[in-house]
Amino acid sequence: MKTRYIDIPDDKWGILFIYDFDIMDADEMGGIMESFGLPEHKINEAIKILLGVNTGMTISREDLRMSVIFVGAASSMEQFADTVAHECDHVQTAICDYYNVPYGSEDAAWTQGYIIRRIAHEIKNDILRH
């Protein structure tokens, strides 16, 4: 399991980005999900889904100003990018809701672009090796 932490500037929001995991990481993943407030039955369901191909999940906690993104195994690089973009949209929505930023605004677009750029920067070496 690979974990990267991404910070939105000015301590606005933190993102825990988790990918490249398997069944051996289920307990650690469950612990993270529990810390984000997911009940046990939802954790078990989420892990089963995430161990499939082309899956992802985002959990956000406004009180912590933090999100966790899980991205499962992908059938292609394009599918991985699609899942990352989809999950980043959920994070952007949580941030915009928290800060009352209008959807479709330049600030919202910048936020999503920043998150995707930071994820790409953090994982580029892992991706380039494959």
Side-chain angles (χ1 to χ4, degrees):
M1 180 167 88
K2 293 185 173 79
T3 304
R4 302 291 189 267
Y5 180 76
I6 295 159
D7 203 21
I8 304 292
D10 303 322
D11 295 323
K12 287 189 176 186
W13 207 268
I15 302 161
L16 194 59
F17 181 74
I18 300 170
Y19 66 109
D20 196 17
F21 47 79
D22 60 29
I23 190 68
M24 300 301 289
D25 302 308
D27 287 342
E28 188 175 354
M29 292 167 61
I32 293 166
M33 290 176 195
E34 183 178 24
S35 73
F36 274 79
L38 239 57
E40 187 175 346
H41 71 281
K42 291 284 188 184
I43 291 170
N44 294 332
E45 184 180 315
I47 289 172
K48 285 179 191 172
I49 292 168
L50 286 170
L51 291 175
V53 177
N54 301 327
T55 61
M57 183 178 94
T58 296
I59 310 166
S60 294
R61 281 193 54 180
E62 287 186 356
D63 60 327
L64 299 176
R65 288 180 301 148
M66 186 150 181
S67 297
V68 60
I69 298 173
F70 294 93
V71 174
S75 58
S76 66
M77 193 62 198
E78 294 80 8
Q79 184 60 51
F80 181 83
D82 183 66
T83 303
V84 168
H86 175 95
E87 298 307 326
C88 286
D89 188 60
H90 291 305
V91 175
Q92 178 219 36
T93 298
I95 294 169
C96 287
D97 285 347
Y98 183 81
Y99 288 103
N100 295 314
V101 174
Y103 300 121
S105 69
E106 283 299 312
D107 286 340
W110 180 90
T111 299
Q112 184 160 342
Y114 180 84
I115 295 166
I116 291 172
R117 283 191 312 276
R118 286 302 316 257
I119 288 172
H121 175 77
E122 289 293 328
I123 67 173
K124 71 181 174 189
N125 291 332
D126 294 333
I127 291 172
L128 293 175
R129 279 186 241 143
H130 293 106

